[in-house]
């Protein structure tokens, strides 16, 4: 009797082991590999929540504020910092809006996800260099006060900040590629079969994404980022951040209902792409017809440019 009980128990154990093995096989071969998140999402989250990312963001401060911004304003050779930072700020807002939708889209296109994985890897490497150059600048800048008016000390701090700015600019180039690919990949799959412009979130982020491309292109051009492009971009970025905080459910201090904005941008009878792509939207508005100006005022209110046209 004891022997038969032992046999039964042994058989039960064997069955349980087999079931566990089958379950593990299903998980690794089917569920895990077909995860809607996929490696791209997981890698992006891992890198963007890393200690290096946290250190980097803590050092660079906020939009037009913080020690780096203050220092750059006192050093003529490093004033381009505000332009690089604005590019990063805009792209980070767009990525914040769409990063989680990678969970929904998953592995719809392996070519895109492979490209994103490579970019994320490049970003992680560039991030390590940026954090190192930040440490170098911070260490010399912190000692500046004890060196009095030592010109060599000031020159060293300026050089170190220049090294950081060069690394930051390279990081931003990679980051912009990540954000652009993520935005295009997610929205093209998520909004299949519908007019995405009926969504306030999509309409505003689409136009801001165009603006991001404008300012990133100018950042890497010989002419650089002009004051008009900078001012229009920062106005749009701040307005977008306000709308994002309210989950794109209301418009902030625009003077016009969001419905008017959505009606125009989603109406296929109108094409405002030239306005979106204009480096100087104020000049574009000035040269428009009276009927177009009336429409552009509504568009401007929907993207944070009220009072600038």
């Amino acid at each position: 009797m004891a022997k038969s009980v032992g046999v039964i128990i042994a058989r039960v154990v064997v069955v349980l082991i087999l079931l566990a093995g089958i379950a593990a096989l299903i998980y690794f071969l089917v569920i895990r590999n077909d995860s809607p998140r996929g490696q791209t999402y997981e890698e992006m989250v891992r890198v963007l929540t890393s200690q290096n990312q946290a250190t980097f963001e803590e050092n660079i401060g906020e939009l037009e504020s913080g020690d780096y911004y203050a220092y750059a304003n006192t050093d003529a050779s490093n004033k381009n910092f505000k332009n690089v930072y604005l590019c990063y700020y805009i792209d980070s807002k767009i990525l914040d809006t769409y990063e989680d939708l990678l969970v929904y889209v998953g592995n719809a296109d392996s070519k895109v996800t492979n490209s994103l994985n490579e970019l994320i890897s490049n970003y992680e490497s560039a991030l390590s260099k940026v954090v190192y150059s930040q440490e170098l600048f911070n260490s010399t800048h912190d000692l500046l006060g004890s060196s009095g008016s030592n010109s060599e000390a000031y020159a060293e701090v300026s050089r170190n900040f220049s090294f950081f700015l060069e690394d930051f600019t390279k990081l931003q180039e990679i980051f912009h590629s990540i954000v652009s690919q993520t935005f295009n990949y997610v929205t093209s799959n998520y909004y299949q079969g519908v007019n995405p412009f009926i969504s306030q979130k999509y309409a505003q982020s689409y136009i801001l994404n165009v603006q991001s491309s404008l300012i990133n292109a100018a950042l890497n051009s010989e002419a650089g980022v002009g004051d008009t492009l900078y001012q229009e971009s920062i106005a749009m970025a701040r307005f977008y951040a306000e709308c994002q905080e309210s989950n794109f459910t209301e418009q902030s201090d625009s003077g016009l209902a969001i419905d008017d904005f959505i009606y125009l941008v989603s109406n296929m009878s109108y094409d405002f792409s030239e306005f979106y792509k204009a480096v100087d939207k104020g000049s574009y508005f000035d040269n428009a017809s009276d009927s177009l100006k009336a429409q552009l005022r509504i568009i401007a209110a929907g993207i944070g440019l009220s009072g600038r046209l």
Side-chain angles (χ1 to χ4, degrees):
M1 183 71 177
K3 182 178 179 181
S4 61
V5 172
V7 170
I8 293 173
I9 293 175
R11 288 175 178 175
V12 170
V13 170
V14 170
V15 170
L16 290 174
I17 292 173
L18 287 174
L19 289 175
I22 293 171
L25 187 64
I26 292 173
Y27 172 75
F28 283 104
L29 294 183
V30 181
I31 298 176
R32 188 167 183 260
N33 286 342
D34 195 36
S35 169
R37 291 191 171 198
Q39 182 186 10
T40 304
Y41 177 83
E42 300 293 348
E43 279 298 287
M44 187 178 292
V45 170
R46 181 184 67 80
V47 173
L48 296 181
T49 57
S50 66
Q51 183 57 54
N52 273 351
Q53 181 71 19
T55 301
F56 161 66
E57 292 185 350
E58 181 181 357
N59 280 326
I60 60 173
E62 301 293 337
L63 192 61
E64 292 195 330
S65 65
D67 292 341
Y68 281 38
Y69 177 77
Y71 174 78
N73 277 347
T74 65
D75 191 317
S77 62
N78 289 301
K79 286 188 176 179
N80 202 41
F81 168 79
K82 71 173 188 177
N83 298 323
V84 183
Y85 183 88
L86 180 57
C87 291
Y88 174 79
Y89 179 86
I90 290 175
D91 284 337
S92 65
K93 290 300 176 184
I94 296 172
L95 189 62
D96 285 347
T97 305
Y98 289 99
E99 176 188 0
D100 288 344
L101 281 182
L102 278 171
V103 175
Y104 172 84
V105 174
N107 303 315
D109 189 330
S110 60
K111 289 183 178 179
V112 176
T113 54
N114 288 340
S115 176
L116 280 172
N117 288 337
E118 183 177 355
L119 286 169
I120 293 167
S121 178
N122 293 341
Y123 178 88
E124 186 173 25
S125 297
L127 182 62
S128 296
K129 294 180 181 179
V130 167
V131 170
Y132 176 78
S133 59
Q134 282 182 332
E135 292 174 353
L136 189 63
F137 166 73
N138 290 346
S139 62
T140 52
H141 184 257
D142 291 344
L143 294 173
L144 194 60
S146 61
S147 63
S149 58
N150 189 324
S151 60
E152 291 184 5
Y154 278 99
E156 183 181 13
V157 172
S158 180
R159 283 195 301 271
N160 287 341
F161 195 85
S162 295
F163 293 146
F164 155 71
L165 187 55
E166 182 179 346
D167 289 339
F168 185 19
T169 303
K170 291 177 182 177
L171 180 81
Q172 171 53 30
E173 290 177 6
I174 300 170
F175 188 60
H176 179 64
S177 295
I178 291 173
V179 175
S180 296
Q181 288 194 25
T182 299
F183 175 82
N184 292 330
Y185 176 57
V186 167
T187 56
S188 63
N189 285 280
Y190 184 77
Y191 290 106
Q192 282 185 348
V194 299
N195 181 353
F197 284 96
I198 62 176
S199 162
Q200 178 187 350
K201 178 172 73 173
Y202 177 84
Q204 290 177 322
S205 58
Y206 175 88
I207 300 171
L208 185 65
N209 190 53
V210 174
Q211 191 72 14
S212 171
S213 294
L214 291 176
I215 192 168
N216 272 279
L219 181 67
N220 294 289
S221 69
E222 186 176 344
V225 179
D227 184 64
T228 298
L229 177 59
Y230 179 86
Q231 295 300 332
E232 289 180 350
S233 298
I234 199 171
M236 292 172 65
R238 284 174 168 158
F239 184 79
Y240 184 87
E242 292 176 10
C243 294
Q244 188 180 47
E245 287 179 0
S246 63
N247 199 27
F248 301 97
T249 56
E250 61 184 36
Q251 195 177 21
S252 306
D253 301 327
S254 66
L256 291 170
I258 191 65
D259 293 346
D260 297 332
F261 167 72
I262 295 299
Y263 170 77
L264 283 179
V265 297
S266 64
N267 192 323
M268 303 304 291
S269 300
Y270 302 115
D271 182 8
F272 300 104
S273 58
E274 289 187 5
F275 177 65
Y276 303 154
K277 296 175 183 177
V279 174
D280 186 338
K281 292 176 173 54
S283 295
Y284 184 94
F285 175 84
D286 291 339
N287 294 320
S289 64
D290 290 341
S291 59
L292 181 56
K293 282 181 178 178
Q295 295 174 334
L296 292 180
R297 287 191 182 94
I298 296 174
I299 302 297
I303 59 177
L305 292 180
S306 294
R308 294 199 57 86
L309 301 187

